[in-house]
Amino acid sequence: MQTIPEMTEHIKSFSLNNQGFSRVLIQLFGFLGHGKSSFINTCKYVLDDTEYKTYADVKNNDGGNTTARITYPLTDTLTLVDNRGCAIMNGYETGEIFAQLGNLLPLDQEVEWSKDLKLVDRIVAAERFVQSTDFIFPIFVYSVKKGLSFDEVPEIKELLTTARNLTGICPVVILTHKTHSNLRDVQAKFEDMDVERIFALENFTPEDHLKTRGKHEDVLKIFLEVIKDVKFRMERFPDPDGERAKRKQFVLRFIYEMELKKKEEEMEKRRRDEERQRNQARASSQSQASDQSSSGCILQ
Protein backbone atom coordinates (compact mmCIF):
# COMPACT_ATOMS: atom_id res chain seq x y z
CA MET A 1 0.00 0.00 0.00
CA GLN A 2 1.24 3.49 -0.82
CA THR A 3 2.33 5.80 1.96
CA ILE A 4 0.62 9.17 2.46
CA PRO A 5 3.51 11.07 0.76
CA GLU A 6 3.39 8.65 -2.19
CA MET A 7 -0.39 9.00 -2.52
CA THR A 8 -0.11 12.78 -2.34
CA GLU A 9 2.63 12.91 -4.96
CA HIS A 10 0.66 10.63 -7.29
CA ILE A 11 -2.34 12.95 -7.11
CA LYS A 12 -0.33 16.15 -7.51
CA SER A 13 1.61 14.82 -10.49
CA PHE A 14 -1.46 13.53 -12.35
CA SER A 15 -1.83 15.12 -15.80
CA LEU A 16 -4.12 14.55 -18.78
CA ASN A 17 -1.26 14.08 -21.27
CA ASN A 18 -2.91 16.18 -23.98
CA GLN A 19 -5.89 13.85 -24.40
CA GLY A 20 -8.07 16.70 -25.63
CA PHE A 21 -8.92 17.92 -22.14
CA SER A 22 -7.10 20.60 -20.17
CA ARG A 23 -8.34 19.99 -16.61
CA VAL A 24 -10.75 17.98 -14.49
CA LEU A 25 -13.56 19.88 -12.79
CA ILE A 26 -14.75 17.86 -9.81
CA GLN A 27 -18.32 19.15 -9.52
CA LEU A 28 -19.88 18.81 -6.06
CA PHE A 29 -23.65 18.72 -5.79
CA GLY A 30 -26.28 17.85 -3.20
CA PHE A 31 -28.57 19.34 -0.58
CA LEU A 32 -28.11 22.44 1.57
CA GLY A 33 -25.82 22.10 4.56
CA HIS A 34 -24.42 18.63 3.87
CA GLY A 35 -20.73 19.59 3.99
CA LYS A 36 -19.71 20.45 0.41
CA SER A 37 -17.79 23.58 1.42
CA SER A 38 -16.24 21.84 4.42
CA PHE A 39 -15.11 19.04 2.12
CA ILE A 40 -13.34 21.58 -0.09
CA ASN A 41 -11.55 23.10 2.91
CA THR A 42 -10.57 19.58 4.01
CA CYS A 43 -9.17 18.65 0.58
CA LYS A 44 -7.16 21.86 0.34
CA TYR A 45 -5.77 21.26 3.83
CA VAL A 46 -4.72 17.68 3.01
CA LEU A 47 -3.17 18.36 -0.41
CA ASP A 48 -1.55 21.70 0.38
CA ASP A 49 -0.22 20.28 3.68
CA THR A 50 0.00 23.72 5.25
CA GLU A 51 -1.97 25.37 8.02
CA TYR A 52 -5.76 25.04 7.98
CA LYS A 53 -7.56 27.82 6.08
CA THR A 54 -11.19 28.50 5.28
CA TYR A 55 -11.34 28.68 1.49
CA ALA A 56 -15.00 27.87 0.99
CA ASP A 57 -17.47 29.67 3.25
CA VAL A 58 -19.08 27.42 5.84
CA LYS A 59 -22.19 28.13 7.86
CA ASN A 60 -22.04 26.81 11.40
CA ASN A 61 -25.72 25.88 11.61
CA ASP A 62 -25.55 23.47 8.64
CA GLY A 63 -27.98 25.62 6.71
CA GLY A 64 -25.74 26.03 3.68
CA ASN A 65 -23.91 29.25 2.89
CA THR A 66 -22.79 28.84 -0.74
CA THR A 67 -24.83 30.66 -3.40
CA ALA A 68 -22.42 30.49 -6.34
CA ARG A 69 -20.59 27.87 -8.39
CA ILE A 70 -17.01 28.55 -7.33
CA THR A 71 -13.76 26.90 -8.43
CA TYR A 72 -10.96 25.84 -6.07
CA PRO A 73 -7.82 24.52 -7.83
CA LEU A 74 -6.20 21.57 -6.04
CA THR A 75 -3.44 20.77 -8.54
CA ASP A 76 -2.53 21.86 -12.06
CA THR A 77 -5.07 19.32 -13.33
CA LEU A 78 -7.71 18.87 -10.60
CA THR A 79 -10.13 21.63 -9.60
CA LEU A 80 -12.94 21.31 -7.06
CA VAL A 81 -16.16 23.16 -7.88
CA ASP A 82 -18.43 24.15 -5.00
CA ASN A 83 -22.11 24.61 -5.68
CA ARG A 84 -25.24 26.07 -4.19
CA GLY A 85 -27.04 23.33 -2.28
CA CYS A 86 -30.60 22.37 -3.16
CA ALA A 87 -33.38 22.80 -0.61
CA ILE A 88 -35.45 20.23 -2.50
CA MET A 89 -34.71 18.31 -5.69
CA ASN A 90 -37.44 19.80 -7.87
CA GLY A 91 -37.27 20.12 -11.65
CA TYR A 92 -35.70 23.58 -11.64
CA GLU A 93 -32.89 22.73 -9.23
CA THR A 94 -32.08 19.41 -10.88
CA GLY A 95 -32.14 21.14 -14.27
CA GLU A 96 -29.50 23.56 -12.98
CA ILE A 97 -27.39 20.66 -11.68
CA PHE A 98 -27.55 18.78 -14.98
CA ALA A 99 -26.64 21.93 -16.94
CA GLN A 100 -23.55 22.25 -14.74
CA LEU A 101 -22.65 18.56 -15.05
CA GLY A 102 -23.06 18.92 -18.80
CA ASN A 103 -20.49 21.74 -18.78
CA LEU A 104 -23.08 24.12 -20.20
CA LEU A 105 -22.90 26.98 -17.68
CA PRO A 106 -20.03 29.33 -16.77
CA LEU A 107 -17.96 28.99 -13.61
CA ASP A 108 -17.58 31.41 -10.70
CA GLN A 109 -21.06 32.91 -11.05
CA GLU A 110 -24.19 32.97 -8.89
CA VAL A 111 -26.39 29.88 -9.20
CA GLU A 112 -29.98 30.51 -10.29
CA TRP A 113 -33.02 28.25 -10.15
CA SER A 114 -34.34 29.25 -13.56
CA LYS A 115 -38.05 28.74 -14.11
CA ASP A 116 -39.81 28.10 -17.39
CA LEU A 117 -37.32 28.02 -20.29
CA LYS A 118 -34.94 30.64 -18.87
CA LEU A 119 -32.36 27.93 -18.25
CA VAL A 120 -32.23 27.32 -22.01
CA ASP A 121 -31.56 31.04 -22.54
CA ARG A 122 -28.73 30.92 -20.01
CA ILE A 123 -27.21 27.85 -21.69
CA VAL A 124 -27.25 29.60 -25.07
CA ALA A 125 -25.76 32.79 -23.58
CA ALA A 126 -22.98 30.78 -21.90
CA GLU A 127 -21.71 29.19 -25.12
CA ARG A 128 -18.78 31.56 -25.48
CA PHE A 129 -17.71 31.30 -21.83
CA VAL A 130 -17.56 27.54 -21.22
CA GLN A 131 -14.62 25.35 -22.30
CA SER A 132 -15.19 22.01 -24.00
CA THR A 133 -11.77 20.97 -22.74
CA ASP A 134 -13.03 20.87 -19.14
CA PHE A 135 -13.70 17.28 -18.04
CA ILE A 136 -16.58 17.14 -15.53
CA PHE A 137 -16.48 14.59 -12.71
CA PRO A 138 -19.59 14.37 -10.46
CA ILE A 139 -19.42 13.97 -6.66
CA PHE A 140 -22.59 13.85 -4.55
CA VAL A 141 -22.11 14.95 -0.94
CA TYR A 142 -24.50 13.74 1.76
CA SER A 143 -24.36 14.23 5.53
CA VAL A 144 -24.86 11.10 7.61
CA LYS A 145 -26.17 13.33 10.41
CA LYS A 146 -29.23 14.20 8.33
CA GLY A 147 -30.30 10.58 8.04
CA LEU A 148 -31.95 9.23 4.91
CA SER A 149 -35.62 8.26 4.82
CA PHE A 150 -37.01 5.65 2.44
CA ASP A 151 -39.16 8.38 0.85
CA GLU A 152 -36.00 10.24 -0.23
CA VAL A 153 -34.31 7.22 -1.82
CA PRO A 154 -36.20 7.17 -5.18
CA GLU A 155 -35.62 10.91 -5.66
CA ILE A 156 -31.87 10.67 -4.99
CA LYS A 157 -31.51 7.48 -7.02
CA GLU A 158 -33.12 9.16 -10.04
CA LEU A 159 -30.80 12.15 -9.63
CA LEU A 160 -27.67 9.96 -9.48
CA THR A 161 -28.82 7.79 -12.39
CA THR A 162 -29.46 10.83 -14.58
CA ALA A 163 -26.07 12.29 -13.60
CA ARG A 164 -24.43 9.00 -14.62
CA ASN A 165 -26.25 8.89 -17.96
CA LEU A 166 -25.31 12.50 -18.63
CA THR A 167 -21.61 12.38 -17.73
CA GLY A 168 -20.84 8.74 -18.46
CA ILE A 169 -19.45 8.45 -14.92
CA CYS A 170 -21.15 6.94 -11.88
CA PRO A 171 -21.15 9.78 -9.34
CA VAL A 172 -18.93 9.18 -6.34
CA VAL A 173 -20.88 9.58 -3.09
CA ILE A 174 -19.15 11.28 -0.16
CA LEU A 175 -20.77 10.68 3.23
CA THR A 176 -19.75 13.35 5.73
CA HIS A 177 -19.82 12.92 9.55
CA LYS A 178 -18.74 9.28 9.32
CA THR A 179 -18.62 8.82 13.11
CA HIS A 180 -22.35 9.48 13.45
CA SER A 181 -24.55 6.53 14.40
CA ASN A 182 -26.53 6.80 11.14
CA LEU A 183 -23.54 5.79 8.98
CA ARG A 184 -24.39 2.13 8.42
CA ASP A 185 -28.03 2.82 7.64
CA VAL A 186 -27.30 5.67 5.20
CA GLN A 187 -24.47 3.74 3.54
CA ALA A 188 -26.71 0.70 3.06
CA LYS A 189 -29.39 2.83 1.38
CA PHE A 190 -26.87 4.28 -1.07
CA GLU A 191 -25.58 0.77 -1.80
CA ASP A 192 -29.16 -0.23 -2.62
CA MET A 193 -29.18 2.61 -5.17
CA ASP A 194 -26.39 0.77 -7.02
CA VAL A 195 -23.80 3.46 -6.21
CA GLU A 196 -20.40 2.06 -7.20
CA ARG A 197 -18.16 4.12 -4.92
CA ILE A 198 -19.10 5.42 -1.48
CA PHE A 199 -16.56 7.14 0.77
CA ALA A 200 -17.19 8.19 4.36
CA LEU A 201 -15.09 10.82 6.12
CA GLU A 202 -14.94 13.46 8.81
CA ASN A 203 -14.20 16.92 7.47
CA PHE A 204 -11.58 19.08 9.13
CA THR A 205 -13.12 22.21 10.66
CA PRO A 206 -11.79 25.49 12.10
CA GLU A 207 -12.51 24.03 15.55
CA ASP A 208 -11.03 20.58 14.87
CA HIS A 209 -8.20 20.41 12.36
CA LEU A 210 -5.75 18.15 14.16
CA LYS A 211 -3.96 16.19 11.43
CA THR A 212 -4.49 12.45 11.68
CA ARG A 213 -3.43 9.65 9.36
CA GLY A 214 -6.98 8.35 9.07
CA LYS A 215 -8.45 11.64 7.86
CA HIS A 216 -5.62 12.19 5.39
CA GLU A 217 -5.95 8.69 3.93
CA ASP A 218 -9.74 9.02 3.62
CA VAL A 219 -9.34 12.10 1.42
CA LEU A 220 -6.41 10.84 -0.64
CA LYS A 221 -8.17 7.54 -1.45
CA ILE A 222 -11.05 9.50 -2.97
CA PHE A 223 -8.80 11.31 -5.41
CA LEU A 224 -6.91 8.17 -6.36
CA GLU A 225 -10.23 6.62 -7.39
CA VAL A 226 -11.27 9.80 -9.21
CA ILE A 227 -8.05 9.66 -11.25
CA LYS A 228 -8.70 6.01 -12.18
CA ASP A 229 -12.23 6.83 -13.38
CA VAL A 230 -11.03 9.87 -15.34
CA LYS A 231 -8.38 7.79 -17.15
CA PHE A 232 -10.87 5.03 -17.93
CA ARG A 233 -13.41 7.46 -19.37
CA MET A 234 -10.90 9.45 -21.41
CA GLU A 235 -9.44 6.35 -23.02
CA ARG A 236 -12.87 5.52 -24.43
CA PHE A 237 -14.30 8.96 -25.20
CA PRO A 238 -11.45 11.27 -26.23
CA ASP A 239 -13.58 13.84 -28.13
CA PRO A 240 -14.35 16.86 -25.87
CA ASP A 241 -16.46 18.75 -28.43
CA GLY A 242 -18.48 15.70 -29.38
CA GLU A 243 -19.06 14.75 -25.74
CA ARG A 244 -20.21 18.24 -24.85
CA ALA A 245 -22.61 18.32 -27.82
CA LYS A 246 -24.20 15.07 -26.61
CA ARG A 247 -24.51 16.43 -23.07
CA LYS A 248 -26.12 19.61 -24.36
CA GLN A 249 -28.68 17.62 -26.31
CA PHE A 250 -29.35 15.50 -23.22
CA VAL A 251 -29.91 18.52 -20.96
CA LEU A 252 -32.08 20.41 -23.45
CA ARG A 253 -34.26 17.32 -23.83
CA PHE A 254 -34.51 17.07 -20.04
CA ILE A 255 -35.61 20.72 -19.79
CA TYR A 256 -38.17 20.27 -22.58
CA GLU A 257 -39.64 17.16 -20.95
CA MET A 258 -39.69 18.89 -17.57
CA GLU A 259 -41.63 21.83 -19.01
CA LEU A 260 -44.00 19.48 -20.84
CA LYS A 261 -44.65 17.55 -17.64
CA LYS A 262 -45.23 20.78 -15.72
CA LYS A 263 -47.80 21.98 -18.26
CA GLU A 264 -49.57 18.63 -18.20
CA GLU A 265 -49.72 18.80 -14.39
CA GLU A 266 -51.07 22.35 -14.56
CA MET A 267 -53.75 21.27 -17.06
CA GLU A 268 -54.68 18.32 -14.88
CA LYS A 269 -54.90 20.59 -11.82
CA ARG A 270 -57.08 23.04 -13.74
CA ARG A 271 -59.31 20.17 -14.86
CA ARG A 272 -59.67 18.92 -11.25
CA ASP A 273 -60.41 22.44 -10.00
CA GLU A 274 -63.08 22.95 -12.64
CA GLU A 275 -64.59 19.54 -11.86
CA ARG A 276 -64.63 20.39 -8.15
CA GLN A 277 -66.31 23.73 -8.85
CA ARG A 278 -68.96 22.02 -11.00
CA ASN A 279 -69.60 19.47 -8.27
CA GLN A 280 -69.88 22.22 -5.66
CA ALA A 281 -72.28 24.18 -7.86
CA ARG A 282 -74.33 21.06 -8.50
CA ALA A 283 -74.45 20.24 -4.80
CA SER A 284 -75.43 23.83 -3.97
CA SER A 285 -78.19 23.77 -6.60
CA GLN A 286 -79.52 20.47 -5.29
CA SER A 287 -79.44 21.81 -1.75
CA GLN A 288 -81.40 24.93 -2.75
CA ALA A 289 -83.93 22.82 -4.60
CA SER A 290 -84.32 20.59 -1.57
CA ASP A 291 -84.81 23.64 0.70
CA GLN A 292 -87.43 25.08 -1.66
CA SER A 293 -89.24 21.74 -1.77
CA SER A 294 -89.24 21.52 2.01
CA SER A 295 -90.56 25.08 2.32
CA GLY A 296 -93.37 24.27 -0.13
CA CYS A 297 -94.41 21.26 1.90
CA ILE A 298 -94.51 23.31 5.09
CA LEU A 299 -96.67 26.02 3.50
CA GLN A 300 -99.14 23.42 2.28
Side-chain angles (χ1 to χ4, degrees), residues 35-41 53-60 64-67 70 72 82-83:
K36 294 185 294 299
S37 297
S38 294
F39 177 65
I40 287 173
N41 293 332
K53 297 179 182 178
T54 301
Y55 295 90
D57 198 6
V58 179
K59 200 167 185 177
N60 292 328
N65 212 30
T66 303
T67 60
I70 307 171
Y72 296 92
D82 202 358
N83 193 20

Short mmCIF file of all heavy atoms in Angstrom, two decimals, residues 35-41 53-60 64-67 70 72 82-83:
data_model
loop_
_atom_site.label_atom_id
_atom_site.label_comp_id
_atom_site.label_asym_id
_atom_site.label_seq_id
_atom_site.Cartn_x
_atom_site.Cartn_y
_atom_site.Cartn_z
N GLY A 35 -22.18 19.64 3.81
CA GLY A 35 -20.73 19.59 3.99
C GLY A 35 -19.90 19.73 2.73
O GLY A 35 -18.71 19.37 2.73
N LYS A 36 -20.49 20.28 1.66
CA LYS A 36 -19.71 20.45 0.41
C LYS A 36 -18.55 21.42 0.61
O LYS A 36 -17.41 21.15 0.22
CB LYS A 36 -20.63 20.93 -0.72
CG LYS A 36 -21.69 19.92 -1.14
CD LYS A 36 -22.50 20.40 -2.32
CE LYS A 36 -23.34 21.62 -2.02
NZ LYS A 36 -24.33 21.38 -0.95
N SER A 37 -18.83 22.57 1.21
CA SER A 37 -17.79 23.58 1.42
C SER A 37 -16.74 23.09 2.42
O SER A 37 -15.54 23.32 2.24
CB SER A 37 -18.41 24.89 1.91
OG SER A 37 -19.29 25.42 0.93
N SER A 38 -17.18 22.40 3.45
CA SER A 38 -16.24 21.84 4.42
C SER A 38 -15.35 20.79 3.77
O SER A 38 -14.16 20.66 4.10
CB SER A 38 -17.00 21.22 5.60
OG SER A 38 -17.68 22.21 6.34
N PHE A 39 -15.90 20.04 2.84
CA PHE A 39 -15.11 19.04 2.12
C PHE A 39 -14.02 19.72 1.29
O PHE A 39 -12.89 19.23 1.23
CB PHE A 39 -16.03 18.21 1.22
CG PHE A 39 -15.31 17.20 0.37
CD1 PHE A 39 -14.65 16.13 0.96
CD2 PHE A 39 -15.29 17.33 -1.01
CE1 PHE A 39 -13.98 15.19 0.18
CE2 PHE A 39 -14.63 16.39 -1.79
CZ PHE A 39 -13.97 15.32 -1.20
N ILE A 40 -14.34 20.84 0.68
CA ILE A 40 -13.34 21.58 -0.09
C ILE A 40 -12.22 22.07 0.83
O ILE A 40 -11.03 21.92 0.51
CB ILE A 40 -14.00 22.78 -0.81
CG1 ILE A 40 -14.83 22.25 -1.99
CG2 ILE A 40 -12.96 23.78 -1.30
CD1 ILE A 40 -15.65 23.29 -2.68
N ASN A 41 -12.57 22.64 1.97
CA ASN A 41 -11.55 23.10 2.91
C ASN A 41 -10.67 21.93 3.38
O ASN A 41 -9.45 22.07 3.54
CB ASN A 41 -12.21 23.76 4.12
CG ASN A 41 -12.91 25.07 3.75
OD1 ASN A 41 -12.51 25.75 2.81
ND2 ASN A 41 -13.95 25.41 4.49
N LYS A 53 -6.96 26.56 6.50
CA LYS A 53 -7.56 27.82 6.08
C LYS A 53 -8.99 27.58 5.62
O LYS A 53 -9.32 26.49 5.14
CB LYS A 53 -6.77 28.45 4.91
CG LYS A 53 -5.34 28.84 5.25
CD LYS A 53 -4.66 29.43 4.03
CE LYS A 53 -3.21 29.78 4.32
NZ LYS A 53 -2.51 30.32 3.12
N THR A 54 -9.82 28.59 5.77
CA THR A 54 -11.19 28.50 5.28
C THR A 54 -11.25 29.11 3.89
O THR A 54 -11.25 30.32 3.72
CB THR A 54 -12.17 29.23 6.22
OG1 THR A 54 -12.10 28.65 7.52
CG2 THR A 54 -13.60 29.13 5.70
N TYR A 55 -11.25 28.24 2.89
CA TYR A 55 -11.34 28.68 1.49
C TYR A 55 -12.80 28.87 1.09
O TYR A 55 -13.19 29.90 0.57
CB TYR A 55 -10.66 27.67 0.57
CG TYR A 55 -9.17 27.55 0.78
CD1 TYR A 55 -8.65 26.63 1.70
CD2 TYR A 55 -8.27 28.34 0.07
CE1 TYR A 55 -7.28 26.52 1.90
CE2 TYR A 55 -6.90 28.23 0.26
CZ TYR A 55 -6.42 27.32 1.17
OH TYR A 55 -5.06 27.20 1.38
N ALA A 56 -13.58 27.82 1.31
CA ALA A 56 -15.00 27.87 0.99
C ALA A 56 -15.77 28.24 2.25
O ALA A 56 -15.51 27.71 3.33
CB ALA A 56 -15.46 26.52 0.47
N ASP A 57 -16.72 29.17 2.11
CA ASP A 57 -17.47 29.67 3.25
C ASP A 57 -18.35 28.58 3.84
O ASP A 57 -19.04 27.86 3.12
CB ASP A 57 -18.34 30.85 2.81
CG ASP A 57 -18.80 31.69 4.00
OD1 ASP A 57 -18.35 31.42 5.12
OD2 ASP A 57 -19.61 32.61 3.79
N VAL A 58 -18.32 28.46 5.15
CA VAL A 58 -19.08 27.42 5.84
C VAL A 58 -19.99 28.07 6.86
O VAL A 58 -19.57 28.94 7.61
CB VAL A 58 -18.14 26.42 6.55
CG1 VAL A 58 -18.94 25.37 7.29
CG2 VAL A 58 -17.20 25.77 5.54
N LYS A 59 -21.24 27.61 6.89
CA LYS A 59 -22.19 28.13 7.86
C LYS A 59 -22.27 27.16 9.03
O LYS A 59 -22.47 25.96 8.85
CB LYS A 59 -23.58 28.30 7.22
CG LYS A 59 -24.49 29.26 7.96
CD LYS A 59 -25.69 29.61 7.10
CE LYS A 59 -26.56 30.66 7.77
NZ LYS A 59 -27.69 31.08 6.90
N ASN A 60 -22.13 27.67 10.23
CA ASN A 60 -22.04 26.81 11.40
C ASN A 60 -23.31 26.02 11.69
O ASN A 60 -23.28 24.97 12.30
CB ASN A 60 -21.67 27.63 12.64
CG ASN A 60 -20.25 28.17 12.54
OD1 ASN A 60 -19.38 27.54 11.95
ND2 ASN A 60 -20.02 29.34 13.11
N GLY A 64 -26.24 25.80 5.04
CA GLY A 64 -25.74 26.03 3.68
C GLY A 64 -25.47 27.50 3.46
O GLY A 64 -26.33 28.35 3.67
N ASN A 65 -24.27 27.84 3.02
CA ASN A 65 -23.91 29.25 2.89
C ASN A 65 -23.42 29.60 1.49
O ASN A 65 -23.14 30.74 1.21
CB ASN A 65 -22.81 29.60 3.91
CG ASN A 65 -22.92 31.03 4.39
OD1 ASN A 65 -24.01 31.58 4.45
ND2 ASN A 65 -21.80 31.64 4.73
N THR A 66 -23.30 28.60 0.61
CA THR A 66 -22.79 28.84 -0.74
C THR A 66 -23.94 29.18 -1.68
O THR A 66 -24.94 28.47 -1.73
CB THR A 66 -22.06 27.59 -1.27
OG1 THR A 66 -21.01 27.26 -0.35
CG2 THR A 66 -21.47 27.84 -2.63
N THR A 67 -23.79 30.26 -2.44
CA THR A 67 -24.83 30.66 -3.40
C THR A 67 -24.31 30.69 -4.82
O THR A 67 -25.07 30.97 -5.74
CB THR A 67 -25.39 32.05 -3.04
OG1 THR A 67 -24.32 33.01 -3.10
CG2 THR A 67 -26.02 32.05 -1.66
N ILE A 70 -18.34 27.97 -7.48
CA ILE A 70 -17.01 28.55 -7.33
C ILE A 70 -15.94 27.48 -7.50
O ILE A 70 -16.08 26.35 -7.02
CB ILE A 70 -16.86 29.20 -5.94
CG1 ILE A 70 -18.01 30.19 -5.70
CG2 ILE A 70 -15.52 29.90 -5.80
CD1 ILE A 70 -18.08 30.72 -4.30
N TYR A 72 -12.08 25.89 -7.01
CA TYR A 72 -10.96 25.84 -6.07
C TYR A 72 -9.90 24.88 -6.61
O TYR A 72 -10.01 23.66 -6.45
CB TYR A 72 -11.44 25.36 -4.69
CG TYR A 72 -12.43 26.29 -4.04
CD1 TYR A 72 -13.80 26.12 -4.23
CD2 TYR A 72 -12.00 27.37 -3.26
CE1 TYR A 72 -14.72 26.98 -3.64
CE2 TYR A 72 -12.91 28.23 -2.67
CZ TYR A 72 -14.27 28.03 -2.87
OH TYR A 72 -15.18 28.89 -2.30
N ASP A 82 -17.37 24.09 -6.00
CA ASP A 82 -18.43 24.15 -5.00
C ASP A 82 -19.73 24.55 -5.70
O ASP A 82 -19.72 25.05 -6.82
CB ASP A 82 -18.08 25.16 -3.91
CG ASP A 82 -18.83 24.90 -2.61
OD1 ASP A 82 -19.64 23.95 -2.57
OD2 ASP A 82 -18.59 25.64 -1.63
N ASN A 83 -20.83 24.35 -5.04
CA ASN A 83 -22.11 24.61 -5.68
C ASN A 83 -23.15 24.98 -4.64
O ASN A 83 -23.06 24.56 -3.48
CB ASN A 83 -22.58 23.37 -6.46
CG ASN A 83 -23.73 23.67 -7.39
OD1 ASN A 83 -23.97 24.81 -7.76
ND2 ASN A 83 -24.45 22.63 -7.78
#
